Amino acid sequence: YNGRTLHSKEPTDLEMKLAQYRVREDGTVIDLYSGKGKDIALKVARELMQLEGIVEKEAPTKLTKELFRKHKLLAIFKALGNNTYNVVTSLLPEQGLKPWQIRPTPNGYWKGPDGLEHAAQATRWLIEEKLGIPIDEIPQRIHQQNFVRYGLNGMMHLFNGSVYGAVNNAYSNRFNEWQIRQKDMWQGEKGKELGKKAVRWLVEYSGIQIEDLPRKLTRQHFRKNGLDGCLDAC
């Protein structure tokens, strides 16, 4: 078209359609980064979904860069934001998708100070919106499996897999570490140190004077405050 090649030597059907859509009647070519060009890119992306049998709920995991490459449509992938999150939210703005609901999550999304803020937003979204857990009930109801189920296991690497780390990042100093139960939390030297902190807190919280501990501190104090595991392990 006017000396320009808009498709590869062996174009796919969709690549050929894209080229045709971009050519105006006067022979000029529509820039994919213009408003009209974005409309064309969205049109072809929807045709790609239809051709591949991708329904809307599958878009966050199936509209990958590799799929666009397969159909020689990397040009529209780049024009729509150059990552799956931007492409999907351009196609489906009404769904209000979060970056962590997209596979893969945008590159670098969980890194650095911004990554910690993103993690706090994702954790609050999980607890308050998806699970509907009142804040005061978080310690009894949040589990590692919740993060995995809603695709946040990648985020958990920020906290070395610690549910408490993720919760504390989102609700700073709202809970003590021992309130968020985790597997083997009382084991090893780290578990012993956590146990010491928990017992000191329990004594202070119970209002027992140190000299009265032998007479007044009982298993019931541990059980009532969710520290049975601490007592048994330590």
Side-chain angles (χ1 to χ4, degrees):
Y1 304 97
N2 288 346
R4 293 182 61 186
T5 300
L6 299 182
H7 54 74
S8 61
K9 291 183 179 180
E10 297 181 0
T12 63
D13 290 343
L14 285 179
E15 187 188 15
M16 183 61 74
K17 278 190 175 183
L18 174 62
Q20 293 169 350
Y21 291 153
R22 293 180 63 192
V23 180
R24 298 187 181 94
E25 290 184 1
D26 63 1
T28 59
V29 177
I30 297 170
D31 184 351
L32 284 176
Y33 291 89
S34 67
K36 180 64 175 177
K38 184 175 180 180
D39 289 340
I40 291 172
L42 289 171
K43 179 179 181 180
V44 176
R46 292 188 185 100
E47 291 183 16
L48 172 61
M49 288 178 65
Q50 185 175 6
L51 179 65
E52 290 284 341
I54 298 172
V55 297
E56 288 189 0
K57 67 179 181 180
E58 297 174 328
T61 57
K62 291 191 175 182
L63 281 180
T64 62
K65 187 174 185 177
E66 288 68 30
L67 180 65
F68 283 83
R69 181 181 287 112
K70 170 186 170 183
H71 290 272
K72 300 184 179 181
L73 295 175
L74 281 181
I76 68 172
F77 187 84
K78 293 177 180 178
L80 292 176
N82 205 30
N83 64 55
T84 302
Y85 174 71
N86 290 335
V87 171
V88 173
T89 52
S90 295
L91 280 166
L92 307 169
E94 69 283 355
Q95 289 196 10
L97 293 166
K98 307 294 186 182
W100 51 83
Q101 293 180 275
I102 307 296
R103 299 290 175 275
T105 306
N107 188 37
Y109 192 75
W110 301 122
K111 294 182 178 179
D114 287 344
L116 287 173
E117 177 55 33
H118 294 156
Q121 294 171 5
T123 301
R124 289 192 288 266
W125 166 85
L126 170 67
I127 290 172
E128 298 173 21
E129 295 185 33
K130 304 307 290 185
L131 301 176
I133 299 176
I135 293 176
D136 289 343
E137 296 180 17
I138 290 173
Q140 295 78 36
R141 296 177 58 183
I142 194 68
H143 302 286
Q144 179 81 32
Q145 296 92 318
N146 299 135
F147 290 87
V148 174
R149 178 185 175 190
Y150 286 95
L152 293 176
N153 45 321
M155 179 201 83
M156 294 299 285
H157 293 304
L158 273 173
F159 311 104
N160 294 319
S162 168
V163 175
Y164 171 74
V167 171
N168 191 54
N169 179 59
Y171 304 93
S172 182
N173 299 318
R174 183 70 181 260
F175 306 104
N176 293 312
E177 185 173 356
W178 51 86
Q179 289 180 271
I180 311 292
R181 297 182 182 180
Q182 298 188 85
K183 185 179 179 182
D184 298 329
M185 64 187 294
W186 304 115
Q187 304 302 312
E189 289 302 315
K190 187 176 179 180
K192 282 186 178 182
E193 290 305 312
L194 181 62
K196 290 177 183 179
K197 288 171 60 177
V199 172
R200 291 191 188 103
W201 169 86
L202 177 63
V203 170
E204 183 178 347
Y205 179 76
S206 302
I208 302 174
Q209 298 298 313
I210 293 179
E211 59 269 20
D212 294 331
L213 287 177
R215 293 185 297 106
K216 292 187 176 181
L217 187 64
T218 68
R219 176 174 286 274
Q220 184 62 23
H221 287 96
F222 286 83
R223 182 178 296 116
K224 182 179 178 182
N225 289 283
L227 292 172
D228 311 61
C230 170
L231 184 61
D232 292 339
C234 301

